[in-house]
Amino acid sequence: MIAVEGLGVSRGERVLFRNLSFSVASGEAVALTGANGAGKTSLLRTLAGFLRPDAGTIAFADIEAEEARAKHLHWLGHLDGLKGARRARDELAFQAQWLGATADGIAAAVDVLALEPLLDLEVRKLSAGQKRRLAFARLIAVQRPIWLLDEPLSPLDARWRAAMGVLMRAHLDRGGCILAAVHDPLPIPARTLDVGGAA
């Protein structure tokens, strides 16, 4: 679902990596590892279209990159990207509807992630783990095959890490793929891609 050839990315004057080539297949999870500052987040942001690479190509199966990024890809950054002053209900509705979610999709995400008790709270009053679940809800509300995740489980407790593993496994079983920057292992079988580098 993702094919990368000869990718080079730099930030300012610092080259993060050169000639990076890899692929991610349907039904596969790949864990990006490497030291802090190695370029894991920059790689994900480049795949998502937020950064322009210095060299190389990125292909998404037979889909044009612009269409793939707009309609077939979910990005979940290290920061949750939530507006603190909104109620959780309104923030979820805004984000999910912007991505094309139906009311049924939103309701399913609320149910699966046990968000109902949180919906009338302002986002800023949620714990870090609760915010991560709220951010994750858009991935459940709107089915898209490619998940790009940056430290997706870091604020979650053991119960919710296991629960996210179930959701990730279901996503792969539907033919999706996951590329995740991690420091701790994912709760599902995953191939490792070491970006390397040093902070």
Side-chain angles (χ1 to χ4, degrees):
M1 302 189 82
I2 305 172
V4 172
E5 292 289 340
L7 196 68
V9 172
S10 59
R11 299 303 304 269
E13 299 298 317
R14 188 162 74 93
V15 175
L16 296 176
F17 46 81
R18 290 192 179 105
N19 297 318
L20 180 64
S21 299
F22 65 93
S23 62
V24 186
S26 174
E28 183 179 28
V30 175
L32 295 176
T33 62
N36 289 333
K40 300 183 297 294
T41 295
S42 293
L43 174 56
L44 290 175
R45 289 177 60 81
T46 302
L47 296 176
F50 301 133
L51 297 178
R52 184 184 299 275
D54 301 326
T57 61
I58 301 168
F60 298 95
D62 296 325
I63 306 168
E64 290 292 332
E66 186 174 334
E67 180 183 353
R69 289 169 174 144
K71 299 180 180 179
H72 300 271
L73 181 151
H74 272 306
W75 159 257
L76 183 61
H78 182 65
L79 299 177
D80 294 311
L82 303 170
K83 191 171 180 65
R86 282 194 180 125
R87 290 187 309 161
R89 181 189 312 280
D90 298 329
E91 181 66 5
L92 174 57
F94 171 79
Q95 293 206 7
Q97 289 171 1
W98 187 77
L99 293 168
T102 64
D104 287 345
I106 294 172
V110 168
D111 181 57
V112 166
L113 294 166
L115 295 174
E116 185 65 40
L118 310 178
L119 292 180
D120 288 324
L121 299 176
E122 290 180 346
V123 170
R124 64 187 169 199
K125 295 180 180 178
L126 303 181
S127 71
Q130 290 169 338
K131 288 177 184 175
R132 179 53 67 161
R133 282 159 50 204
L134 181 63
F136 221 104
R138 61 183 181 265
L139 280 67
I140 306 304
V142 183
Q143 297 296 322
R144 293 186 170 189
I146 301 170
W147 288 6
L148 303 180
L149 312 176
D150 191 2
E151 293 292 342
L153 308 179
S154 57
L156 298 175
D157 61 23
R159 171 201 168 192
W160 279 107
R161 286 183 179 223
M164 291 302 180
V166 173
L167 296 178
M168 289 177 178
R169 181 73 264 171
H171 176 67
L172 298 179
D173 289 345
R174 290 192 298 269
C177 71
I178 297 172
L179 183 62
V182 298
H183 286 294
D184 300 318
L186 289 172
I188 55 173
R191 178 165 56 91
T192 298
L193 175 62
D194 186 7
V195 179

